[in-house]
Amino acid sequence: MSYFLREISRSDLPQISSWRNDPGLIENLASPFRFIDLEVDTKWFESYMASRANNVRLAICQRDSGSIIGAAYLLSIDWVSRSCEFSIFIGDVHSRGKGVGEFAIQHVLRHAFEDLNLRRVALNVLENNARALHLYRKNGFVDEGRLRQAVAKRGAYFDLIQMAILSDEFYSSGTIDRS
């Protein structure tokens, strides 16, 4: 199955909102779980639309059906330093473990480095999210630091691993999907 990226749209909000209300999905992300009403997500989307100059929010979609299965973001773009923050989630349970994350990482990084002319893309990942750590390292992200006990989840504290990839590392990594 193949995939494509497009900017998120207002029509994606019900699906994104349902994922943001899934404790199992949020458990693997650095953000805390909170119940989020569709009205809150509508305001979140409107805020994004007003800040598109410094943020890119993309839907990850199945090519055959066009349905959204996840999202990937380039946030807080600093045009002077040419850097930003990256985040991703695969919301559709049936699409996990099928190469969707790798597809999205490769294509979002290509967009960041080739289209937006960025130099550095950074992220934070929970220390216990082994699948994400493996995926990021496989795609050229380098560990840069650790924020000790930075995230509380279910009464326990977890470290955040700081990672980043530079444009020249992306092109020299040998993992670029040219399709």
Side-chain angles (χ1 to χ4, degrees):
M1 180 177 302
S2 60
Y3 313 100
F4 68 95
L5 301 173
R6 63 166 172 75
E7 186 172 35
I8 63 169
S9 68
R10 188 173 302 278
S11 65
D12 297 323
L13 289 180
Q15 183 62 69
I16 291 172
S17 187
S18 75
W19 292 331
R20 288 172 32 123
N21 280 287
D22 177 357
L25 174 64
I26 303 303
E27 183 67 24
N28 290 314
L29 304 179
S31 56
F33 176 76
R34 295 180 60 179
F35 291 104
I36 300 172
D37 185 80
L38 184 56
E39 183 178 336
V40 171
D41 273 336
T42 300
K43 289 181 181 177
W44 166 82
F45 178 77
E46 290 166 359
S47 174
Y48 161 63
M49 293 305 287
S51 66
R52 287 180 68 242
N54 297 315
N55 298 286
V56 175
R57 295 187 185 268
L58 301 171
I60 306 166
C61 302
Q62 292 180 337
R63 186 162 306 281
D64 58 349
S65 67
S67 61
I68 182 173
I69 56 175
Y73 305 146
L74 298 172
L75 304 172
S76 304
I77 298 171
D78 180 333
W79 296 107
V80 174
S81 297
R82 295 176 41 215
S83 65
C84 70
E85 298 172 27
F86 174 76
S87 67
I88 183 173
F89 66 88
I90 309 304
D92 179 57
V93 174
H94 304 294
S95 296
R96 295 178 192 158
K98 296 184 178 177
V100 177
E102 186 159 9
F103 163 85
I105 289 170
Q106 288 290 311
H107 286 79
V108 171
L109 289 177
R110 184 183 301 159
H111 179 59
F113 296 136
E114 293 180 7
D115 300 326
L116 303 179
N117 195 33
L118 297 177
R119 173 85 176 119
R120 181 175 188 277
V121 175
L123 60 84
N124 291 318
V125 61
L126 286 171
E127 67 180 324
N128 62 339
N129 192 341
R131 288 179 68 174
L133 284 164
H134 173 76
L135 182 62
Y136 295 140
R137 289 174 180 142
K138 177 181 175 186
N139 284 278
F141 282 87
V142 175
D143 292 39
E144 292 188 331
R146 177 179 292 263
L147 298 173
R148 298 178 308 137
Q149 297 186 5
V151 175
K153 295 269 185 180
R154 293 177 290 114
Y157 291 91
F158 297 91
D159 294 359
L160 277 178
I161 308 299
Q162 298 174 307
M163 305 177 86
I165 186 170
L166 305 176
S167 59
D168 59 340
E169 294 169 338
F170 177 70
Y171 293 110
S172 67
S173 70
T175 61
I176 302 171
D177 176 5
R178 295 284 179 193
S179 59

